[in-house]
Amino acid sequence: MLNLVLFGPPGAGKGTQSEMLIKTHNLVHLSTGDILRKEITNKTKLGLEAKKLMDQGILVPDNVVIGMIDSQLENNIKSNGFIFDGFPRTKEQALALDKLLLKKNTAISAMISLKVDDQELIKRLLERGEISGRSDDQNEEIISNRISEYNKKTAPLKLFYNNQQKLYEVNGLGTINDITMKVNTVINKL
Ligand code: ADP
């Protein structure tokens, strides 16, 4: 199985690159952000709770997203592999993911981390906010909270995967195709 963690700050291009990779490598895309937004659209209890946090740029509790990933893994048991996008975002989530995959006799193959500077991130997110109407992309204060949550709680995961010799960093600036090519070069060497 090919199990990739696509990593990087909000606006780094994880979702865009995931769309490219699922096609070429026949993988299942698991984005906790997308799953949460689906819950919000369906006005479920979980969605309504999560929205309060997401609209402030704060992470939702670990047990909520871990539970979501657990059930998605169960639902896609025959898959060729997974792209984890926006998950794990904390050490707790990373440890839980390792356990869930071990139960299925598999493991993370690599973390591919997209590097983009803060100024470019803010620009991309504000643009996306205008197009998509996503409430957490429309306000600079919320965006800066998300970047600060990332720096505090999420960025340290690079060390976690580096210690397992699974970290690959890719420059996230350039055209979508350029970046896909660079990501594919990493995957082809795995
Ligand atoms: P982005 O990476 O562009 O910030 P996402 O769609 O991945 O966008 O996430 C949007 C919001 O959803 C986050 O700010 C957070 O509140 C919540 N969220 C998504 N994934 C997780 C996660 N793994 N753990 C905690 N909260 C999450």
Side-chain angles (χ1 to χ4, degrees), residues 31-95:
S31 156
T32 40
D34 286 352
I35 302 169
L36 288 166
R37 279 185 290 277
K38 225 172 270 164
E39 298 278 343
I40 293 175
T41 305
N42 294 334
K43 298 199 167 64
T44 65
K45 187 160 171 280
L46 189 158
L48 295 174
E49 286 300 314
K51 183 170 169 34
K52 289 185 210 152
L53 298 167
M54 290 166 76
D55 279 348
Q56 300 172 71
I58 302 173
L59 295 184
V60 307
D62 287 331
N63 63 327
V64 172
V65 285
I66 292 167
M68 290 179 345
I69 291 289
D70 189 6
S71 60
Q72 291 294 324
L73 291 178
E74 288 298 328
N75 290 345
N76 293 284
I77 203 77
K78 295 212 171 100
S79 149
N80 219 18
F82 296 91
I83 295 191
F84 298 95
D85 162 4
F87 183 90
R89 261 177 153 100
T90 64
K91 178 99 181 273
E92 282 304 307
Q93 294 178 23
L95 291 168

